[in-house]
Amino acid sequence: MKKIVFAVLASTTLASCFGFYDYEIETIVDDYEVLWVDVHESRSLKKGETLVPAFVFATGYNSKYIYSKQHPLLENSKEKIDLNVTHYYIIERTKSIFQDKPVFGPFNKTEFEKKCQELAIKKPQFNLTFPTEF
């Protein structure tokens, strides 16, 4: 009987330690990925570390840069997205395991377009998009 109780307690403890998380990971290119854990609203762009915080809703890339659109979360919220604000980011790609090249942003649309011209990014395409309603 002690063995059965121990087995039940051990399996419960292990399940709670490792957790059963709901998550999704989408690779953009190389080691860059967009992912969320537990709630869709936590979707961020990462390369080992967070480069663009939640809520990322569109990304694209070319041979040198990754670009991303983000609706920030409302202040003091982990689940409410401010759909009235859109930030843009540009990330210079690197082969390093760490992001050792610049991350530009957040920009508004006009600033983003100006930075794209400056960096010779022609017609950035956001070909990986995610829903904003769950």
Side-chain angles (χ1 to χ4, degrees):
M1 182 66 168
K2 286 184 180 180
K3 287 183 180 181
I4 294 172
V5 171
F6 177 75
V8 170
L9 289 174
S11 65
T12 304
T13 301
L14 287 174
S16 65
C17 287
F18 294 111
F20 293 102
Y21 296 105
D22 193 14
Y23 68 94
E24 182 177 79
I25 300 172
E26 291 274 343
T27 299
I28 302 167
V29 65
D30 303 328
D31 295 337
Y32 294 92
E33 55 193 20
V34 177
L35 66 104
W36 59 266
V37 176
D38 288 336
V39 293
H40 294 273
E41 294 84 355
S42 70
R43 181 176 283 116
S44 57
L45 192 152
K46 298 186 179 217
K47 180 182 173 91
E49 63 181 305
T50 300
L51 302 176
V52 179
F55 173 77
V56 171
F57 70 96
T59 64
Y61 67 94
N62 65 21
S63 62
K64 192 168 180 182
Y65 299 101
I66 293 173
Y67 19 91
S68 182
K69 288 184 192 181
Q70 175 235 36
H71 292 307
L73 297 178
L74 291 171
E75 194 171 325
N76 300 319
S77 175
K78 293 182 180 180
E79 297 182 21
K80 295 191 181 188
I81 302 166
D82 187 348
L83 296 173
N84 296 314
V85 176
T86 300
H87 292 151
Y88 296 80
Y89 290 81
I90 301 172
I91 301 158
E92 189 171 342
R93 290 172 57 182
T94 180
K95 297 282 186 196
S96 172
I97 60 170
F98 300 103
Q99 183 62 34
D100 59 354
K101 295 194 178 178
V103 175
F104 303 102
F107 298 121
N108 64 32
K109 187 171 180 154
T110 303
E111 294 166 332
F112 172 73
E113 290 169 348
K114 183 179 177 186
K115 192 66 170 177
C116 284
Q117 286 179 343
E118 188 181 306
L119 298 173
I121 300 172
K122 298 186 186 321
K123 298 182 183 178
Q125 299 293 313
F126 295 92
N127 48 7
L128 183 58
T129 59
F130 305 95
T132 56
E133 302 212 6
F134 311 101

